[in-house]
Structure formats: structure tokens, C-alpha cells
Amino acid sequence: MKPAIKAALISALIFPGLGHFTLKHGARGCLFLLPALLAAIYIFRQVLERASIILDQVASGALPLNALAISEQLSAASAANGPSLTVAATLGLACWAGSIIDSFMVGK
């Protein structure tokens, strides 16, 4: 397999920036890896926080164990938090796409 294709596949299927490490361009890979990792950590923490709040409400009886009620609660929480999750997801996806393209170009 050609190094460019291998690096692009590693960046696409495993994590952004890792393909650059296979090409011995670690510093360049970190430019994609670190922002994507920070975005993933932020999204994961926000999801866990929301899940914990809803789980506590269900456990206390304040929220019925009903899929529709839980879905409405999630929608309300999403509207209240603003665009921060959207920005983090967009940053992560941009790093992912950029890493695939850049690792392929660097590999050539």
C-alpha cells in the first residue's frame, strides 16, 4: 500500500493526525490531533454531564422514565447551552477532514 493512502486511511479511520505520524511528520500531525482531541474531550464531558443530570432527575422521580419526556429534556438542555457543542463538533470534523487531505498530500 502506498504511504499516502495508508496515512490517509489511518487519519480517517483511527484519529486525525495519526497518519502524519506514520509519515514521520509528528509536529504537523499534532496540529490536527490536539484540537480534535480537545474537541472530543469537551463533547464527551458535556454529554456525560447532561446524561448525569437526566439520570439524577429520573432517579429522584422528577422526570418520568419515558423516552418522550427524556427526549424533551435533552432538547431543552441543548437549546439552553448555546452553540458551544456545535463549535466543538465543527472543529473536530474540520480537523478530521483536513487531516485526511493533508496526510494524503504529504504522503505524495
Side-chain angles (χ1 to χ4, degrees):
M1 183 179 293
K2 294 181 180 179
I5 294 173
K6 183 178 178 182
L9 284 173
I10 289 172
S11 286
L13 300 175
I14 299 176
F15 204 77
L18 292 181
H20 289 84
F21 285 95
T22 63
L23 297 171
K24 308 291 190 253
H25 286 79
R28 195 167 186 162
C30 284
L31 293 174
F32 294 101
L33 189 136
L34 293 177
L37 184 63
L38 291 174
I41 289 170
Y42 178 77
I43 291 169
F44 187 68
R45 288 185 58 167
Q46 292 298 313
V47 167
L48 283 180
E49 183 179 316
R50 287 182 186 176
S52 176
I53 291 169
I54 290 174
L55 185 59
D56 289 343
Q57 290 176 348
V58 169
S60 71
L63 185 66
L65 187 57
N66 180 346
L68 184 60
I70 293 171
S71 176
E72 289 172 358
Q73 186 70 18
L74 281 172
S75 296
S78 295
N81 262 358
S84 60
L85 281 177
T86 304
V87 170
T90 303
L91 175 66
L93 288 174
C95 286
W96 213 301
S99 174
I100 295 167
I101 294 166
D102 191 57
S103 63
F104 184 76
M105 301 302 277
V106 168
K108 289 222 171 226

